[in-house]
């Protein structure tokens, strides 16, 4: 008997994995349902740059063969997943959203993170739209067009992992991988209403990932439930770390969780909707027994930290792409090209000054964890803007809209601490995310908070409606 | 062509620095690149001067650093 629920757009990875493992549905059927959704949604969302249908079918068949043989399968058995187009997928040219890399050879092997999900018996269905070389917050890619927000196609999905977020929020796949350098998982998770995780810096191996800014790049994940996000994170751990292992924080005991909202910069640069979302999360955690600090935690260097993150990003990206800038910059998206040329020219003094600010800022943030277990802040200053929006007004200041999307994520990235995103709907049709910030090595604490919020319904990630769907897609197999 | 002397100086410096790095800027690239350089310079003005000779390449979390202090670590094993 086929479990048709596992074929639906809103099926969770948990549901699919259980149904495939018990033989209630085949991985092949789940894969075909996902491929059909992807095909139907491409013109609407522009989430995918490559669909790996043949490989997906082969992997699904192998999973089904394991089940038929009575061999144990992994926790993500038959779960379709897709990755930002900067993770190597064996046999696919990794383009990082750029025309510059289109004439490279297909990847000889999978990125470590992809291999980790395959080891959990997940099924890779393709690569996802992104800002060129991850340099942006809106996935307005001039080569392939913008990724669109499934909750309102006129609005941005966020970036630079916008295709990843659009694919999950649109119900094309239940989980996806992205990367976060200045907020590129957290911003799209916020704008598309998804659970997201940027683990501790160095936690997940980046082998086979096209870098953007080496000292800031993190592998991260998106899901529609806290359980699925946790399962994806656990599977990713099989990729191993980048360099030395990141130590797990000590297990939390039974004492109440100590929670504080971030104040100052993190309130001044957020619209009321974003602050309301933080309040909803804090109120729920208080109802669950957490101790919420009466006064917001104040971090004086946050503005400088954002500047430092930007300067570090420019300097590292400029150095990384210098050869391509010399020889084939006409093939870059014009906006990215001008940024990268300028980036290559930055004085070393600027980069070093930024790195020093980074250290004292990391210490300032670390000090907050003496009194608090978890810090809360909005993930974006506002809900998803319309694609092409040039300026926004925050706290009376007119700002360029695209960089403004990263105003609340970017300062935190240089510290390398793990951060989750809870999707909250404080009113109206659009979501906004709340960052759950913990000390290094405490991903488990973040995932526990997200699970609490998910169970309480304060955080939720409904699949966006598919206007093209006229009949049930789940058919008997 | 801009008349601002500071902008002219920056323009000249930018073209020269680019040439040193092997980048020959086309005429229509110069102004957009200058805009980006000016933008980053504005960010640098927001950086405090820290009286410390150490540089922090990236955060690394090892034994004894669980509160989040950064340590200097080995380069990542990523594929550039």
């Amino acid at each position: 008997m086929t479990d048709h629920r596992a074929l639906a757009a809103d099926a969770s990875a948990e549901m699919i994995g259980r149904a495939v493992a018990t033989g209630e549905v085949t991985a092949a059927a789940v894969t075909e349902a996902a491929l059909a959704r992807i095909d139907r949604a491409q013109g609407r969302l522009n989430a995918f740059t490559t669909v790996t249908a043949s490989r997906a079918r082969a992997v699904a068949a192998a999973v089904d063969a394991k089940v038929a043989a009575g061999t144990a399968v992994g926790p993500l058995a038959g779960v379709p997943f897709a990755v930002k187009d900067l993770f190597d997928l064996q046999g696919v040219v990794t383009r990082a959203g750029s025309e510059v890399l289109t004439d490279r050879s297909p990847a000889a092997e999978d990125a470590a993170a992809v291999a980790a999900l395959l080891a959990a018996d997940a099924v890779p269905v393709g690569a996802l739209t992104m800002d060129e070389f991850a340099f942006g917050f809106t996935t307005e890619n001039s080569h392939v067009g913008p990724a669109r927000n499934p909750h309102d196609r006129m609005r941005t999905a966020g970036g630079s992992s916008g295709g990843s977020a659009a694919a999950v929020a649109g119900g094309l796949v239940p989980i996806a991988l992205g990367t976060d350098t200045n907020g590129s998982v957290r911003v799209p998770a916020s704008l598309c209403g998804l659970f997201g995780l940027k683990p501790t810096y160095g936690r997940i191996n980046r082998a086979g990932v096209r870098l953007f800014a080496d000292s800031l790049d993190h592998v991260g994940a998106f899901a529609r439930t806290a359980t699925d996000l946790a399962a994806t994170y656990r599977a990713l751990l099989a990729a191993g770390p980048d360099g030395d292992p990141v130590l797990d924080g000590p297990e939390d005991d039974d004492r109440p969780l100590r929670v504080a909202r971030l104040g100052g910069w993190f309130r001044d640069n957020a619209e009321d909707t974003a602050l309301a979302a933080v309040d909803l999360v804090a109120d729920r955690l208080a109802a669950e027994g957490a101790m919420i600090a009466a006064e917001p935690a104040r971090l004086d260097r946050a503005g400088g930290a954002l500047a430092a993150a930007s300067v570090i990003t420019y300097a590292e990206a400029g150095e990384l792409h210098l050869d391509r800038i010399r020889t084939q910059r006409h093939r870059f998206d014009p906006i990215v090209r001008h940024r990268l040329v300028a980036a290559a020219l930055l004085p070393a003094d600027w980069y070093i000054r930024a790195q020093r600010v980074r250290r004292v800022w990391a210490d300032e943030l670390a000090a907050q964890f003496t009194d608090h277990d978890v810090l809360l802040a909005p993930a974006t200053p506002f809900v998803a803007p319309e694609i092409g929006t040039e300026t926004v007004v925050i706290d009376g200041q007119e700002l360029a809209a695209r960089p403004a999307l990263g105003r609340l994520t970017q300062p935190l990235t240089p510290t390398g601490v793990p951060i989750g995103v809870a999707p909250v709907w404080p009113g109206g049709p659009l979501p906004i995310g709340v960052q759950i910030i913990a000390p290094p090595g405490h991903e488990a604490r973040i995932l526990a908070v997200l699970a609490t919020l998910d169970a309480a319904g304060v955080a939720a990630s409904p699949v966006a409606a598919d206007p093209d769907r006229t009949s049930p897609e789940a058919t008997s197999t | 062509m801009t008349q601002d002397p500071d902008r002219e100086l920056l323009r000249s410096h930018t073209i020269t620095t680019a040439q040193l790095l092997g980048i020959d800027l086309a005429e229509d690239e110069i102004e957009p690149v200058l805009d980006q350089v000016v933008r980053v310079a504005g960010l640098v003005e927001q950086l405090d001067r820290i009286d410390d000779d150490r540089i922090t390449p990236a955060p690394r979390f090892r034994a004894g650093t669980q509160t989040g202090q950064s340590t200097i670590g080995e380069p990542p094993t990523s594929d550039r």
Side-chain angles (χ1 to χ4, degrees):
Chain A
M1 177 71 75
T2 296
D3 183 351
H4 288 177
R5 292 172 305 168
L7 302 177
D10 63 354
S12 67
E14 179 187 25
M15 176 191 291
I16 293 169
R18 188 170 54 236
V20 168
T22 57
E24 295 168 72
V25 71
T26 62
V30 173
T31 299
E32 293 303 329
L35 292 173
R37 288 193 299 270
I38 292 165
D39 183 55
R40 198 167 56 233
Q42 184 61 15
R44 182 163 48 90
L45 301 179
N46 193 33
F48 278 76
T49 55
T50 304
V51 178
T52 54
S54 296
R55 186 172 186 206
R57 289 179 175 122
V59 172
V63 173
D64 287 335
K66 276 191 189 178
V67 174
T71 306
V73 290
L76 298 175
V79 174
F81 76 98
V83 299
K84 188 177 184 176
D85 179 29
L86 48 59
F87 289 84
D88 281 349
L89 286 169
Q90 187 181 50
V92 174
V93 175
T94 309
R95 290 178 293 195
S98 178
E99 290 298 311
V100 177
L101 301 182
T102 51
D103 40 12
R104 290 172 68 98
S105 300
E109 54 188 67
D110 293 311
V114 173
L117 296 192
L118 280 160
D121 283 324
V123 175
V125 294
L128 298 156
T129 313
M130 56 181 286
D131 287 284
E132 185 175 40
F133 290 119
F135 212 152
F137 283 123
T138 55
T139 315
E140 291 170 281
N141 184 310
S142 67
H143 304 302
V144 300
R148 294 182 177 276
N149 192 315
H151 296 289
D152 181 342
R153 288 186 296 140
M154 301 308 290
R155 295 177 186 269
T156 176
S160 60
S161 311
S164 305
V168 179
L172 312 186
V173 288
I175 57 172
L177 298 185
T179 54
D180 191 314
T181 304
N182 286 298
S184 289
V185 165
R186 290 164 287 158
V187 169
S190 177
L191 302 190
C192 290
L194 295 169
F195 291 89
L197 180 66
K198 178 198 82 64
T200 308
Y201 181 84
R203 175 71 96 172
I204 306 296
N205 196 331
R206 300 176 304 179
V209 176
R210 300 291 127 198
L211 295 183
F212 172 29
D214 184 1
S215 79
L216 297 167
D217 289 335
H218 303 66
V219 169
F222 299 87
R224 290 193 304 269
T225 71
T227 300
D228 284 0
L229 188 69
T232 306
Y233 169 68
R234 284 194 296 271
L236 284 171
L237 290 174
D242 250 338
D244 291 334
V246 171
L247 296 182
D248 288 327
E251 276 192 37
D252 289 335
D253 53 28
D254 291 336
R255 65 181 168 78
L257 196 68
R258 302 168 302 163
V259 178
R261 300 171 177 87
L262 286 183
W265 175 271
F266 294 92
R267 292 188 70 81
D268 297 342
N269 284 283
E271 290 187 349
D272 289 347
T273 304
L275 297 175
V278 173
D279 288 342
L280 285 170
V281 166
D283 291 348
R284 184 67 236 173
L285 294 177
E288 298 283 341
M291 296 167 56
I292 312 295
E295 293 297 319
R298 193 171 178 87
L299 294 164
D300 293 333
R301 292 186 185 273
L306 182 144
S310 299
V311 173
I312 291 166
T313 300
Y314 267 78
E316 295 185 4
E319 189 277 334
L320 180 66
H321 291 289
L322 181 57
D323 284 342
R324 296 186 192 100
I325 293 165
R326 285 190 184 113
T327 58
Q328 40 184 336
R329 65 182 179 280
H330 62 283
R331 300 177 70 188
F332 283 75
D333 181 310
I335 294 174
V336 174
R337 180 206 314 165
H338 299 142
R339 287 177 188 154
L340 287 175
V341 173
L345 307 180
L346 300 190
D349 172 69
W350 292 5
Y351 179 65
I352 292 170
R353 279 178 66 181
Q355 291 285 33
R356 289 188 177 128
V357 168
R358 176 187 201 160
R359 186 175 56 248
V360 295
W361 161 246
D363 291 344
E364 184 181 345
L365 182 67
Q368 290 295 331
F369 293 119
T370 304
D371 297 324
H372 310 300
D373 301 313
V374 163
L375 302 170
L376 306 178
T380 50
F382 40 81
V383 299
E386 291 190 357
I387 292 169
T389 298
E390 295 294 338
T391 59
V392 293
V393 176
I394 300 177
D395 198 25
Q397 267 190 294
E398 186 172 82
L399 301 169
R402 294 178 183 90
L405 279 168
R407 255 173 124 68
L408 305 178
T409 53
Q410 201 167 359
L412 297 166
T413 320
T415 67
V417 300
I419 305 174
V421 174
V424 180
W425 304 72
L430 295 172
I432 195 161
V434 174
Q435 295 184 91
I436 314 294
I437 307 154
H442 280 281
E443 284 87 349
R445 182 182 296 164
I446 291 169
L447 292 167
V449 169
L450 292 176
T452 298
L453 297 171
D454 193 358
V458 169
S461 184
V463 169
D466 175 354
D468 300 331
R469 185 171 172 225
T470 55
S471 60
E473 65 183 326
T475 54
S476 297
T477 56
Chain B
M1 180 72 74
T2 175
Q3 301 298 314
D4 179 346
D6 287 343
R7 182 88 172 183
E8 279 303 307
L9 191 62
L10 180 63
R11 180 185 174 91
S12 169
H13 175 79
T14 298
I15 293 169
T16 305
T17 307
Q19 285 173 338
L20 281 171
L21 288 169
I23 303 168
D24 288 315
L25 292 174
E27 188 61 33
D28 65 352
E29 290 180 306
I30 295 171
E31 285 301 319
V33 169
L34 285 185
D35 289 343
Q36 289 295 322
V37 172
V38 168
R39 177 174 181 270
V40 181
L43 293 167
V44 172
E45 288 175 4
Q46 297 171 42
L47 298 176
D48 291 340
R49 279 279 183 191
I50 307 296
D51 185 19
D52 189 333
D53 290 340
R54 292 175 297 161
I55 303 167
T56 308
R60 288 285 164 185
F61 303 105
R62 300 173 176 164
T65 66
Q66 285 300 314
T67 57
Q69 293 98 327
S70 306
T71 60
I72 295 173
E74 288 78 28
T77 57
S78 56
D79 170 9
R80 288 167 64 111

